[in-house]
Amino acid sequence: MWQYILRRTGQAMVVIILVTFLTFLLLHNLPGGAARSALGLDATPAQIDAYNEQMGYDKPFLIQYMMYLGRLASGDLGFSFQQNQPVADLIVQRLPKTMLLSFLAAFVALVVSIPLGAIQAVTRGKVPDYFVTAVALFAYATPLFFLGMLLIVLFSQTTSLLPPQAPQGFGLGEILADWPGLILPVATLAIATLAAYTRYVRSSMIDNLQENYIRTAKAKGLSGGRVVVRHALRNSLFPVISLLGMYIPALFSGALVVEQLFNYPGMGLMFWQATQTRDFPILLATTTIVALATVIGSLLADFAYAVADPRVRLSGDS
Amino acid sequence: MFFENRLAAVGLLLIVGLVAFSFLGPLLHPTDQVHTDLANAYAAPGVEGYALGTDGVGYDQLGRLMFGGQTSLIVGLAAGLLATAFGTLWGATAGFVGGWVDAVMMRVVDALLSIPALFLFMLIATIITPTVPMLVLTIAAFAWLNPARMIRGDSIALRSRDFIVAMRGMGGGSLRAVRTHVVRNAIGTVIVNATFQIADAILYVAYLSFLGLGVPPPAANWGGMLSSGLSEIYSSHWWLVYPPGILIILLVLSFNFVGDGLRDAFEVRLRKR
Amino acid sequence: MTPPAPADDVLLDISDLHVSIPQRKGVATPLRGVDLTVRAGRMLGVVGESGSGKTMTALAVMGLLPGNGHVSSGSIRFDGVDLTAVSGRESRRRRGTEIGMIFQDPMTSLNPTMTIGAQVSEGAMIHEGLSRRDARTRAVDILRRVGMPRADRIVDDFPHQLSGGMRQRAMIAMALVNHPQLLIADEPTTALDVTTQRQILDLIEDIQDEFGSATILVTHDLGVVAGRADEVAVMYAGRVVESAPAQELFRDPAHQYTRALLAALPERARQGDDRLFAIPGMPPDLRSETTGCPFAPRCHAAQEDCRSGPVPVITRGDRHEVACLHPGDLAEAGHDLDDVRTPETPVGGRGHSAATDAGEAPGTVLDVAGLTKEYPALGGSFIRRTVGTVSAVSDVSFSVREGETFGLVGESGCGKSTLGRLIALLENPTRGELRLNDEDVTVVTGRRESRAAHREVQMMFQDSSAAMDPRMRIDEVLSEPLVIQRIGTKDSRSERAEELVADVGLADDVLERYPHEFSGGQVQRIGLARSLALGPRLVVCDEPVSALDVSVQAQVLNLMKDVQAEHGLAYVFISHDLSVVRHMADRIGVMYLGMMVEQGPADVVSETPRHPYTRVLIDAVPTVDREDERDRLLVEGELPNATDPPSGCRFRTRCPFAQEICATTPPVHEFGEEGDSHSVACHFPLPADGSLPVRAEASA
């Protein structure tokens, strides 16, 4: 297992270097150069020179990249002149809210998709299977913002059951206190993720149900429920842990849309607002942070998988 | 085989229908999609010969759906096919060459995959001006990653298959392996993947439009029409929201149906014993 | 064998059992009137080829029919109760407590993510309500009783941490945990190596004595039931065609199918006879209806009434029942099959004997010296790097003469397949010399030369259908070698393809079909045809008949001999099955953990093996005929890891005769006194008279 974990960590480090290199390249090729995009169009040449010297942009390319890495490592994500704040501070405010939204959505999607996928696998080729497949396909084919809008129409406009806007609080506590406002955003994001999770649980479960050990379990005289739950479902869930890691980018992408739609004050909304004002320090830093969060998240998911599945946990380390 | 799958046949029919609607429709129902007509804004369906009403600047909604469908279809198809082609090449090279080349190529894929697609799109769209070709390139620049991964897995599996081993035993080299055997056996995966990529690309176009980075007017696409229609939802101009929404869903669904049908068809051919 | 039990103590009585399974196209009826009885405390062997319904019968007893399969008529009376009529709950209870089942593949039949202990005791927890602690104690206890070493530790291990033999022991423990009255073992040793098979079969026999349970041993291998089962039932096309006390069945087989099956065994081939008795054709499709005797279309003794009429079951002597209208006679003792067995003289005469007859020594086709193949063992964390080597083939030397068959035999992991791939130029050796027709091909470098070298040696695979591109038609498959070697034109290649299919006894119409459309026997014929396309001098056959049923196996082996004679081919014949190798080979090489431990003329090596491992291998093979009552040499344990092979002689860790020197000095091949070509790599070779020396107690 340690071998696996170390190798995955190694891979993740290579990926992080590549990601930061990519964002650095983007920064370098911003219209008008990094300085102008940071300082704005009305910056004087002197200001630009001073900025370039301060950031080391007059140095050779590789040194610049090293300095960029150094700044990232020390938590310096740049300065938004439009917001007049360090970007790191903005992200520290916003990231937890986006994480909360994504976590809740992933959790809800998981809780719903595991039994759904299991039911589909057990009733494979029959009505419940086709029904869930159809619903999941519809959920997948519907653009997220249209889905969210339909939910708003249904639950707030027509019936006024739920607020159409996300909680606006500053801290996580305030947001959680206003929990009814979270229901629609979380539901929208969860439904979008549900289709993929369910499909995966279903096929993983179908594979496991065809395994010989299921027949062995039946031969012991176990009840059908115990065979399905203790043997087939349990084994089908190990790969789902990795799947959670694989779907982190999709969750963040979804959060971007959902936050905009429900006006939820997370990182996605900040990112969207920054595209409107072309606030490049925020755009680049957010992209970098989101990518790092993805890499680390999927790494953690793979670790969890390695610890959970005895086939990996007890694999030989030479 | 393929047509045994009723859903796939329905999907194919739907695609043909939607293509005909978008490209042949304007011939039967010519409308002005360039000049605004503010006098006739927000006409309700059926009023003054506007079968589906008009939008906020007076464009005929039915005609606009046809016009917008062209963009959605062209961008979706072009981006999906481009992404599949590039991804296939990348993945096949990585899988067949193996070793260090494979490791480096796949880390590049991992790195790009770890940046959530929409963040990357929006970043790029902020830097460049969105036109149809740029939109295609932007979407394809991200969408090739999944086919690349999949094809790499396939070629690695194929590389160690007994019939490739047998071919080497006859004196054949890697070139022949790829040219005759890998192409033949991976083509199914590639085609199936292409249909799903097209479906995804159509959705991405919609998302970019929603986030304000679609093709600027007077050009139109279903995603853009849907997202601009969303602000009308409170003013009960339902014809601006539901028709483009339903058309997107139908288009994405039908490509998925066809993809599923093709996948079954390719697999069944080998399983039939 | 168990002492005779009260004669009428019937535990299980299956009567006229029919099972049908609705499928997408039609309904399959795998069981078509099965009658069987199992008496308490006795062992019934159920023998049949694939599709005969033997496994389906076992699953029907368990109530575990696959998919939507169901019993359409007939009864299964267990201890007086009809199992086809009991409720699901009751059926589950019986399954868990009164009937235990052991499945074929112990790797896939165990849940990979549950500990052995949890799996073994699960049945006891459910049905007896044992607490977790008691269940664990029970698991350890039962594991000990099935001979599991370090049972108290294994109980917490997962299946992938165990060897194949230990997994099967765990399976057996699981089936025994509630002390069932009936134990069903479905091909319990098919996935195991022959020395492990021997251990497991002995265990099943011991268990029957110890627990007093009745046993149904389901197998395709007649040798497995011979000498173990009290009674044997032979199945064909969903029916029991013959059942009798075991000794009687093997002494006096009555049904023509049973007789043919026994005659098709390679070990039954008469000395010096090139051909086996082969049953023509294939078993009937389970979806189609048959009238009369289902074996009639393949039976050499079939008459008109066999094809039309009902086939009544006749009784011959005590409990010997036969469903055959024209059974064979004891007096003939199988000799009537001799006429049928007469070789079809191959077209081109006998190639290899022709060379010998001419008086000139046949040339050497293949010469291997000190051949070694090591694979890097990958490890390391950040970057995969080589942390050691797996020694797959180590310092192997032998040669093959023109027209000769060299048999390579050994258990899985012994390196025989790797050696085959080295010879077929599919891999490059790490060290050593490989000469084909006196040309050193290990030094061949250029693209053109390397391509030319492949013309001299071709390969036939265990599963030829996997070795053919599934999207190529057979004509493309057969001309591919010619295309690669740039031989001939499009027309001449398709002519050649037609010739080739004719050579292997198939009709022209196969050329337009795809590999997956053929049965196992047919596809092996096509595989053989392809290996002939380039006219090689040598064909490496890697387990060419291992996946085939005995009757089809005989067809393919006969064909291989015919083709060899016609083309003067030499074979390197790789197999785990000693009797097949012995039948096919002129000379045999025995491999263990990458080393060739013994080689020599086929009859010498198999009659008087000198290496203890060869002796172990031969003694472990279950055979139908057990007249030779010589002492059997058995070993414990299983093959060690090839990453870190034992020092000195690699067999020493399991060898009963090992001494100190065996650990320090690797033995070299020494030639015995009796012949020029029999050599053995052993410090203490066995005496040439076939006796076993008194076991030397480990002195170190």
Side-chain angles (χ1 to χ4, degrees):
Chain A
M1 177 180 74
W2 289 110
Q3 198 179 320
Y4 170 83
I5 285 184
L6 281 170
R7 197 169 62 240
R8 273 296 284 118
T9 312
Q11 285 180 354
M13 278 163 57
V14 175
V15 168
I16 287 177
I17 288 172
L18 283 171
V19 166
T20 51
F21 191 69
L22 191 77
T23 51
F24 173 71
L25 271 184
L26 281 169
L27 178 76
H28 228 262
N29 290 301
L30 288 176
R36 188 166 289 282
S37 59
L39 301 174
L41 289 175
D42 46 354
T44 63
Q47 281 174 313
I48 287 177
D49 285 347
Y51 181 80
N52 278 342
E53 196 180 336
Q54 179 203 342
M55 301 301 281
Y57 288 157
D58 49 352
K59 301 219 162 54
F61 187 76
L62 267 181
I63 307 256
Q64 287 187 35
Y65 175 59
M66 293 299 164
M67 290 174 69
Y68 173 73
L69 278 187
R71 286 200 300 273
L72 281 186
S74 65
D76 175 6
L77 296 174
F79 190 85
S80 165
F81 287 87
Q82 293 183 16
Q83 305 273 340
N84 203 21
Q85 265 197 75
V87 178
D89 292 359
L90 289 168
I91 288 180
V92 167
Q93 283 168 30
R94 300 286 191 124
L95 184 61
K97 294 174 194 163
T98 298
M99 299 274 247
L100 176 73
L101 177 67
S102 308
F103 271 128
L104 284 175
F107 179 75
V108 171
L110 200 59
V111 166
V112 177
S113 63
I114 289 173
L116 272 190
I119 289 169
Q120 276 190 289
V122 173
T123 62
R124 186 188 182 188
K126 299 196 184 113
V127 174
D129 180 25
Y130 286 134
F131 180 73
V132 177
T133 303
V135 171
L137 251 181
F138 258 98
Y140 162 81
T142 312
L144 199 52
F145 54 91
F146 187 41
L147 182 75
M149 208 63 208
L150 290 176
L151 291 182
I152 292 176
V153 169
L154 206 62
F155 291 101
S156 7
Q157 203 188 356
T158 324
T159 57
S160 316
L161 286 173
L162 293 165
Q165 203 187 3
Q168 296 298 314
F170 184 78
L172 283 187
E174 293 164 58
I175 285 177
L176 282 171
D178 192 12
W179 60 269
L182 273 176
I183 293 180
L184 284 184
V186 167
T188 308
L189 195 49
I191 290 174
T193 330
L194 201 65
Y197 284 4
T198 309
R199 197 177 186 136
Y200 194 83
V201 173
R202 174 182 180 271
S203 69
S204 172
M205 182 89 174
I206 284 176
D207 289 348
N208 274 291
L209 279 173
Q210 286 166 344
E211 291 285 340
N212 283 338
Y213 69 80
I214 294 297
R215 193 177 56 184
T216 311
K218 287 182 186 160
K220 289 183 210 172
L222 307 185
S223 65
R226 190 176 167 101
V227 172
V228 167
V229 176
R230 284 294 301 269
H231 289 266
L233 186 58
R234 209 179 85 98
N235 287 359
S236 307
L237 293 185
F238 292 112
V240 171
I241 302 176
S242 290
L243 180 84
L244 289 179
M246 273 167 54
Y247 266 83
I248 296 176
L251 268 180
F252 277 132
S253 281
L256 181 57
V257 175
V258 169
E259 290 183 12
Q260 212 262 358
L261 185 67
F262 290 93
N263 197 27
Y264 179 83
M267 204 159 65
L269 188 63
M270 176 176 79
F271 187 83
W272 182 77
Q273 285 159 347
T275 61
Q276 305 302 304
T277 59
R278 304 173 86 77
D279 191 341
F280 285 108
I282 290 187
L283 289 176
L284 275 174
T286 312
T287 307
T288 312
I289 291 301
V290 168
L292 292 185
T294 305
V295 175
I296 293 166
S298 53
L299 191 63
L300 290 178
D302 281 354
F303 287 175
Y305 169 66
V307 173
D309 191 330
R311 282 165 294 191
V312 186
R313 172 161 32 102
L314 301 171
S315 65
D317 289 320
S318 49
Chain B
M1 297 209 305
F2 177 73
F3 284 102
E4 276 170 27
N5 189 327
R6 255 176 297 167
L7 268 186
V10 169
L12 195 64
L13 270 178
L14 266 174
I15 293 174
V16 171
L18 289 170
V19 168
F21 171 79
S22 306
F23 290 91
L24 302 179
L27 302 178
L28 301 172
H29 179 75
T31 50
D32 184 352
Q33 296 295 337
V34 181
H35 305 98
T36 54
D37 180 11
L38 294 172
N40 283 314
Y42 295 125
V47 174
E48 300 192 21
Y50 296 112
L52 268 177
T54 60
D55 66 7
V57 289
Y59 289 132
D60 174 78
Q61 179 72 355
L62 183 61
R64 194 139 191 89
L65 283 173
M66 295 170 177
F67 182 57
Q70 294 179 6
T71 317
S72 287
L73 276 165
I74 288 173
V75 175
L77 278 169
L81 294 179
L82 192 65
T84 310
F86 187 71
T88 302
L89 265 171
W90 187 280
T93 312
F96 234 80
V97 176
W100 270 104
V101 177
D102 176 37
V104 170
M105 289 176 89
M106 289 331 283
R107 288 303 83 70
V108 170
V109 170
D110 286 350
L112 288 173
L113 269 179
S114 68
I115 306 176
L118 283 184
F119 282 80
L120 197 64
F121 287 165
M122 293 193 57
L123 191 57
I124 294 172
T126 323
I127 298 171
I128 54 144
T129 328
T131 58
V132 168
M134 283 317 290
L135 212 54
V136 170
L137 280 178
T138 310
I139 292 174
F142 181 82
W144 63 275
L145 300 167
N146 277 319
R149 268 196 168 176
M150 198 169 289
I151 298 296
R152 169 182 175 265
D154 263 29
S155 22
I156 286 178
L158 278 171
R159 200 172 54 176
S160 57
R161 289 277 290 276
D162 266 359
F163 62 83
I164 300 279
V165 175
M167 186 223 67
R168 290 191 196 280
M170 301 167 201
S174 294
L175 197 62
R176 183 180 167 83
V178 174
R179 221 172 38 202
T180 31
H181 297 285
V182 176
V183 168
R184 250 178 234 249
N185 285 282
I187 194 87
T189 318
V190 173
I191 293 175
V192 170
N193 203 266
T195 56
F196 293 130
Q197 287 307 321
I198 293 169
D200 282 357
I202 292 165
L203 280 175
Y204 281 137
V205 182
Y207 284 127
L208 282 179
S209 303
F210 170 73
L211 294 166
L213 296 161
V215 229
N221 74 77
W222 289 344
M225 293 172 70
L226 173 60
S227 43
S228 59
L230 288 185
S231 49
E232 311 285 351
I233 205 151
Y234 298 104
S235 40
S236 68
H237 297 140
W238 58 266
W239 61 91
L240 296 181
V241 184
Y242 295 104
I246 289 167
L247 285 178
I248 290 180
I249 295 176
L250 280 183
L251 189 58
V252 174
L253 272 183
S254 51
F255 273 106
N256 272 287
F257 288 158
V258 171
D260 279 339
L262 285 174
R263 175 160 50 204
D264 289 351
F266 280 113
E267 274 173 17
V268 162
R269 208 172 122 194
L270 297 182
R271 226 188 288 125
K272 178 185 70 185
R273 185 172 211 167
Chain C
M1 263 177 280
T2 40
D8 286 301
D9 195 3
V10 172
L11 180 66
L12 179 76
D13 183 24
I14 300 177
S15 155
D16 197 32
L17 185 68
H18 287 73
V19 162
S20 47
I21 305 174
Q23 290 175 336
R24 199 178 297 182
K25 287 173 189 161
V27 176
T29 47
L31 297 187
R32 304 170 167 197
V34 174
D35 294 292
L36 273 181
T37 50
V38 182
R39 287 174 302 142
R42 297 303 198 93
M43 183 187 284
L44 170 73
V46 176
V47 181
E49 297 180 280
S50 47
S52 64
K54 54 189 192 305
T55 295
M56 204 58 73
T57 307
L59 293 176
V61 174
M62 292 297 285
L64 289 178
L65 289 172
N68 34 13
H70 58 273
V71 173
S72 45
S73 68
S75 64
I76 305 170
R77 300 189 80 80
F78 179 80
D79 218 5
V81 180
D82 187 354
L83 295 183
T84 61
V86 300
S87 70
R89 180 182 297 268
E90 170 67 7
S91 161
R92 278 206 302 277
R93 190 190 60 78
R94 286 186 183 273
R95 225 185 277 158
T97 57
E98 292 170 4
I99 312 176
M101 183 150 175
I102 306 164
F103 295 97
Q104 173 170 351
D105 184 355
M107 179 71 240
T108 61
S109 295
L110 291 170
N111 187 334
T113 65
M114 273 172 92
T115 62
I116 296 293
Q119 295 190 61
V120 167
S121 60
E122 192 176 16
M125 284 172 71
I126 295 296
H127 296 289
E128 292 184 23
L130 290 192
S131 70
R132 199 169 280 269
R133 173 189 295 259
D134 290 348
R136 188 193 151 91
T137 315
R138 171 82 73 92
V140 174
D141 176 54
I142 202 90
L143 283 170
R144 277 213 184 95
R145 290 175 72 176
V146 298
M148 185 74 89
R150 304 188 313 278
D152 50 334
R153 298 237 313 270
I154 295 274
V155 82
D156 294 319
D157 278 352
F158 289 91
H160 69 270
Q161 296 170 290
L162 270 55
S163 69
M166 301 220 295
R167 285 184 202 131
Q168 197 56 297
R169 280 179 202 273
M171 271 303 296
I172 295 173
M174 198 184 303
L176 289 175
V177 72
N178 286 330
H179 299 270
Q181 290 164 269
L182 176 65
L183 185 65
I184 303 176
D186 181 16
E187 302 270 12
T189 56
T190 307
L192 304 176
D193 276 319
V194 65
T195 54
T196 317
Q197 170 178 48
R198 173 91 203 191
Q199 296 166 9
I200 296 295
L201 289 174
D202 287 347
L203 174 66
I204 291 176
E205 215 175 330
D206 292 347
I207 277 166
Q208 193 188 359
D209 292 345
E210 192 186 332
F211 287 71
S213 53
T215 307
I216 301 179
L217 182 58
V218 177
T219 177
H220 68 285
D221 188 342
L222 286 158
V224 163
V225 294
R228 291 187 200 276
D230 299 294
E231 278 166 63
V232 176
V234 179
M235 290 191 71
Y236 186 79
R239 261 163 256 189
V240 174
V241 293
E242 180 164 12
S243 66
Q247 277 172 323
E248 167 143 348
L249 186 104
F250 289 109
R251 196 181 65 239
D252 176 24
H255 197 286
Q256 293 296 354
Y257 174 65
T258 316
R259 295 159 65 80
L261 205 55
L262 284 165
L265 290 175
E267 67 209 60
R268 279 284 177 101
R270 289 173 306 168
Q271 280 293 317
D273 196 336
D274 268 357
R275 298 178 61 83
L276 295 169
F277 177 78
I279 310 176
M282 282 181 294
D285 183 2
L286 294 172
R287 284 190 293 261
S288 61
E289 289 290 318
T290 51
T291 48
C293 172
F295 185 59
R298 304 174 70 191
C299 180
H300 75 280
Q303 314 270 324
E304 202 42 53
D305 52 347
C306 298
R307 297 187 182 93
S308 57
V311 185
V313 175
I314 54 170
T315 310
R316 264 160 86 114
D318 185 26
R319 294 205 313 274
H320 187 167
E321 295 184 335
V322 192
C324 184
L325 288 166
H326 304 282
D329 254 331
L330 177 58
E332 296 164 359
H335 291 301
D336 55 327
L337 292 179
D338 289 351
D339 308 333
V340 193
R341 203 199 304 237
T342 311
E344 312 155 13
T345 313
V347 203
R350 313 199 147 195
H352 72 289
S353 40
T356 329
D357 293 346
E360 43 189 287
T364 303
V365 183
L366 172 74
D367 200 5
V368 167
L371 205 63
T372 298
K373 178 70 185 178
E374 286 163 0
Y375 292 104
L378 294 176
S381 25
F382 282 97
I383 296 158
R384 279 182 171 249
R385 61 196 150 81
T386 311
V387 292
T389 53
V390 179
S391 165
V393 171
S394 172
D395 196 19
V396 167
S397 306
F398 69 100
S399 59
V400 179
R401 287 189 291 271
E402 224 170 279
E404 180 189 50
T405 301
F406 187 89
L408 269 179
V409 66
E411 296 177 278
S412 53
C414 73
K416 57 187 191 302
S417 285
T418 309
L419 182 55
R421 290 163 66 98
L422 290 171
I423 297 169
L425 308 177
L426 289 170
E427 302 201 29
N428 293 319
T430 312
R431 277 190 299 283
E433 204 181 59
L434 185 68
R435 301 178 78 84
L436 277 175
N437 300 317
D438 237 17
E439 224 175 288
D440 190 348
V441 288
T442 41
V443 295
V444 167
T445 45
R447 185 80 192 80
R448 191 183 300 267
E449 290 86 342
S450 135
R451 191 160 62 215
H454 282 283
R455 292 189 195 182
E456 305 298 327
V457 55
Q458 282 293 303
M459 180 127 178
M460 183 177 170
F461 292 79
Q462 171 171 5
D463 179 1
S464 291
S465 76
M468 295 173 193
D469 189 329
R471 296 187 195 279
M472 272 190 171
R473 294 192 330 185
I474 298 304
D475 53 353
E476 275 182 282
V477 166
L478 290 178
S479 42
E480 187 176 19
L482 301 166
V483 174
I484 291 174
Q485 295 287 345
R486 303 185 188 156
I487 296 173
T489 61
K490 201 165 191 290
D491 289 342
S492 75
R493 283 179 208 142
S494 58
E495 254 170 58
R496 180 80 179 123
E498 282 171 32
E499 264 172 51
L500 288 169
V501 288
D503 270 4
V504 296
L506 293 173
D508 267 3
D509 62 338
V510 305
L511 290 170
E512 280 145 42
R513 292 155 68 190
Y514 288 90
H516 66 260
E517 298 176 45
F518 295 94
S519 70
Q522 286 171 322
V523 90
Q524 290 309 88
R525 282 170 187 262
I526 298 169
L528 178 61
R530 181 175 65 177
S531 69
L532 299 175
L534 294 171
R537 308 271 294 279
L538 174 69
V539 175
V540 177
C541 316
D542 189 1
E543 303 269 11
V545 293
S546 303
L548 304 179
D549 279 319
V550 173
S551 65
V552 181
Q553 165 181 297
Q555 294 172 12
V556 174
L557 291 179
N558 284 346
L559 175 70
M560 290 178 72
K561 285 219 161 188
D562 292 349
V563 165
Q564 175 172 47
E566 191 179 332
H567 297 276
L569 277 181
Y571 286 134
V572 170
F573 191 100
I574 301 168
S575 178
H576 70 284
D577 187 335
L578 207 79
S579 10
V580 171
V581 171
R582 187 178 173 183
H583 169 70
M584 290 299 286
D586 301 302
R587 288 191 302 131
I588 291 181
V590 181
M591 292 190 70
Y592 184 82
L593 217 59
M595 314 209 35
M596 183 86 85
V597 295
E598 181 165 10
Q599 56 171 304
D603 45 345
V604 178
V605 172
S606 43
E607 300 291 328
T608 53
R610 305 292 309 279
H611 197 285
Y613 176 65
T614 314
R615 177 67 184 262
V616 163
L617 206 56
I618 290 169
D619 285 355
V621 176
T623 50
V624 169
D625 309 288
R626 293 196 150 195
E627 306 95 52
D628 61 312
E629 282 302 325
R630 70 175 182 196
D631 291 335
R632 286 175 186 273
L633 185 59
L634 301 177
V635 287
E636 314 244 299
E638 289 167 69
L639 217 60
N641 188 347
T643 323
D644 189 19
S647 63
C649 172
R650 292 187 177 178
F651 184 57
R652 69 173 165 85
T653 50
R654 297 169 71 195
C655 182
F657 309 114
Q659 309 268 338
E660 217 164 313
I661 181 175
C662 300
T664 53
T665 318
V668 290
H669 270 275
E670 283 184 25
F671 292 95
E673 56 270 22
E674 77 283 341
D676 54 332
S677 57
H678 186 191
S679 74
V680 56
C682 181
H683 293 295
F684 307 101
L686 300 174
D689 59 5
S691 65
L692 282 180
V694 179
R695 187 157 307 193
E697 294 305 325
S699 51

